[in-house]
Amino acid sequence: MKTNLLLDKIHSNIEDYNKYFYGPQYDVIFRFEQKFFVSQLLSVVKISDLRILLKARISKINKLMNEPSYITFSIPKKRGGNRLIQSPDSNLMRLQSRLNFFLQNYYHLIRPEGIHGFVINPNKKEKICNIVDNAKIHINQKQVLNLDLKDFFPSIQAYRVKELFVSDYFKFNDEVANALALLVTYNGKLPIGAPTSPVISNFICLELDANLIAFCKENQLNFSRYADDLTFSCNEEISKETISRIFEIIKNNNFEVNHKKTRLKSNHRKQTVTGLVVNEIVNVDRKTLKMVRAMLYDASKNGIEKAASKHFTSNNSDATYFLNRLNGYINFIAQVRGFDDTLVIKFKSEFKNLKN
């Protein structure tokens, strides 16, 4: 209900915002912030309006719509297999990135509570959600249920993207909806590698999120979603019937559960949410802490070069790569535990000594 009221308010005020859309954008950016940019997006009525929104000639937009160019390659998954990446060329990337800016502003205004993946406030250039926020709601629960949506981006087909753009959220006509769907999909699907895919997936999931939030409220469950990772927790046992109903809601919203990644953990075992332990507090897995200790020790005792060759493959065994990865791990631990945490301070001090 709250979302519908917000949508009505946004749509009804478009003309009021638009009358200020004259002159450079920086003149009004601080006066209207997100709603101003949302109004620009929702003011698109015909294809020619995309010229202003995307800052590109119509001929260029048409070419990118009808002849999209992507670079396709694979990267290894953590648990085996390969992930297909389809990255747009520089021209399409630039256009998608601008569209992403407007879409992110809009989604940021209507984001449901408990949704944390791919959510940023681009106007302020800051991320407002992360895996720590996603995990906090599940601390100290009797049971934690982890689900994964199978083939998340590729499962979102172009017709669903078009349906999104003609829905009440955007109210675009068929011509504009078709154009935008063509600009953000490849081979009829959302590509992994396009800057617009994450936020569009969040828009597509609005109905799913609403259904799951309502179901969890009725059944005293905590719920959060980080991209394709869904987590449910409760201080009572989560029954097979409850899990079946969750599966049914997901199926009814045209998604499929990856049953290989389904986990139900009680509090006498390690409970994790997006890689973080949540049994008592949000914490980093012991394996990660042990690995960082080992990297710091090896580098201090045997030198950075030897430590690099020990901890990484021959392709990534130079000192610069090692230090960057180690620094990344330490900053990740700091994000989770806090920068004033005793262990974080110790790690940072040891890392600083390595560089001196």
Side-chain angles (χ1 to χ4, degrees):
M1 186 67 178
K2 184 179 178 182
T3 299
N4 289 336
L5 288 172
L6 180 57
L7 285 173
D8 290 341
K9 186 177 180 182
I10 290 170
H11 282 288
S12 65
N13 284 298
I14 283 177
E15 289 186 9
D16 292 335
Y17 293 125
N18 276 350
K19 66 184 179 182
Y20 291 97
F21 186 46
Y22 299 102
Q25 286 191 16
Y26 55 76
D27 288 342
V28 291
I29 186 170
F30 298 111
R31 290 163 63 187
F32 297 100
E33 295 187 334
Q34 284 175 278
K35 287 184 181 179
F36 173 76
F37 296 116
V38 173
S39 75
Q40 286 182 255
L41 173 65
L42 299 180
S43 296
V44 173
V45 176
K46 50 190 182 298
I47 294 286
S48 58
D49 294 336
L50 293 176
R51 178 177 57 84
I52 298 173
L53 186 78
L54 303 178
K55 288 189 174 179
R57 294 177 180 177
I58 292 300
S59 58
K60 185 175 183 180
I61 293 172
N62 283 328
K63 183 175 176 59
L64 293 173
M65 279 167 44
N66 297 308
E67 300 173 27
S69 178
Y70 284 79
I71 301 168
T72 301
F73 57 95
S74 296
I75 59 173
K77 293 182 179 180
K78 286 184 179 179
R79 293 178 177 83
N82 291 307
R83 188 184 307 281
L84 184 68
I85 306 297
Q86 296 168 316
S87 179
D89 69 8
S90 58
N91 288 324
L92 184 55
M93 175 74 79
R94 198 157 35 242
L95 189 141
Q96 287 178 343
S97 296
R98 181 158 175 81
L99 178 59
N100 180 57
F101 172 84
F102 291 99
L103 291 171
Q104 286 283 8
N105 269 293
Y106 191 8
Y107 185 77
H108 184 264
L109 286 178
I110 63 173
R111 174 183 69 93
E113 188 176 356
I115 310 306
H116 299 283
F118 309 138
V119 182
I120 61 173
N121 180 349
N123 191 31
K124 296 184 178 179
K125 297 182 180 179
E126 62 183 7
K127 290 187 177 181
I128 65 154
C129 300
N130 55 48
I131 60 173
V132 178
D133 295 325
N134 186 63
K136 281 179 181 177
I137 192 175
H138 305 291
I139 293 172
N140 200 26
Q141 297 293 305
K142 185 172 183 178
Q143 288 197 321
V144 173
L145 172 66
N146 305 106
L147 303 179
D148 178 85
L149 300 180
K150 189 175 180 180
D151 300 326
F152 187 44
F153 285 175
S155 72
I156 299 174
Q157 296 178 306
Y159 81 89
R160 295 177 69 184
V161 178
K162 184 199 169 181
E163 287 177 354
L164 167 69
F165 286 131
V166 297
S167 72
D168 285 343
Y169 289 104
F170 293 91
K171 297 184 178 179
F172 293 143
N173 61 34
D174 279 352
E175 184 185 30
V176 171
N178 271 325
L180 291 174
L182 287 170
L183 286 171
V184 300
T185 58
Y186 184 57
N187 291 336
K189 304 171 186 176
L190 272 190
I192 301 173
T196 42
S197 292
V199 69
I200 288 173
S201 71
N202 273 338
F203 273 107
I204 293 287
C205 283
L206 281 169
E207 194 69 27
L208 170 66
D209 294 333
N211 293 161
L212 289 173
I213 289 169
F215 176 80
C216 290
K217 190 174 181 180
E218 290 173 6
N219 292 274
Q220 290 76 54
L221 292 168
N222 301 310
F223 164 67
S224 69
R225 181 175 67 80
Y226 193 97
D228 55 354
D229 290 319
L230 280 63
T231 307
F232 306 83
S233 63
C234 187
N235 267 323
E236 304 293 333
E237 288 190 3
I238 302 176
S239 67
K240 289 183 179 179
E241 182 184 351
T242 297
I243 296 173
S244 294
R245 282 287 295 115
I246 291 171
F247 286 174
E248 185 182 343
I249 291 170
I250 291 170
K251 184 179 179 181
N252 289 342
N253 281 275
N254 298 311
F255 288 104
E256 183 181 350
V257 174
N258 185 349
H259 292 285
K260 292 180 181 178
K261 293 186 177 181
T262 298
R263 300 190 310 274
L264 179 62
K265 296 289 181 70
S266 297
N267 53 8
H268 62 274
R269 300 177 65 188
K270 183 175 73 173
Q271 298 170 323
T272 60
V273 178
T274 45
L276 301 177
V277 181
V278 294
N279 289 70
E280 295 177 358
I281 60 171
V282 177
N283 205 352
V284 179
D285 189 284
R286 286 181 183 176
K287 281 185 179 180
T288 303
L289 297 176
K290 187 177 179 180
M291 176 188 64
V292 171
R293 285 193 186 98
M295 290 172 72
L296 286 166
Y297 176 80
D298 287 340
S300 176
K301 184 179 180 181
N302 304 313
I304 296 172
E305 294 288 350
K306 287 186 177 180
S309 61
K310 179 180 178 179
H311 289 275
F312 297 106
T313 62
S314 57
N315 293 332
N316 298 308
S317 59
D318 68 287
T320 302
Y321 181 84
F322 176 86
L323 289 173
N324 287 339
R325 287 295 297 271
L326 179 55
N327 189 43
Y329 287 131
I330 294 171
N331 285 331
F332 169 69
I333 295 167
Q335 181 190 12
V336 177
R337 296 173 64 112
F339 285 87
D340 58 349
D341 178 79
T342 304
L343 185 60
V344 171
I345 293 171
K346 180 176 181 291
F347 282 168
K348 282 190 168 290
S349 176
E350 292 179 13
F351 180 78
K352 185 177 180 181
N353 290 335
L354 290 180
K355 300 180 71 176
N356 292 336

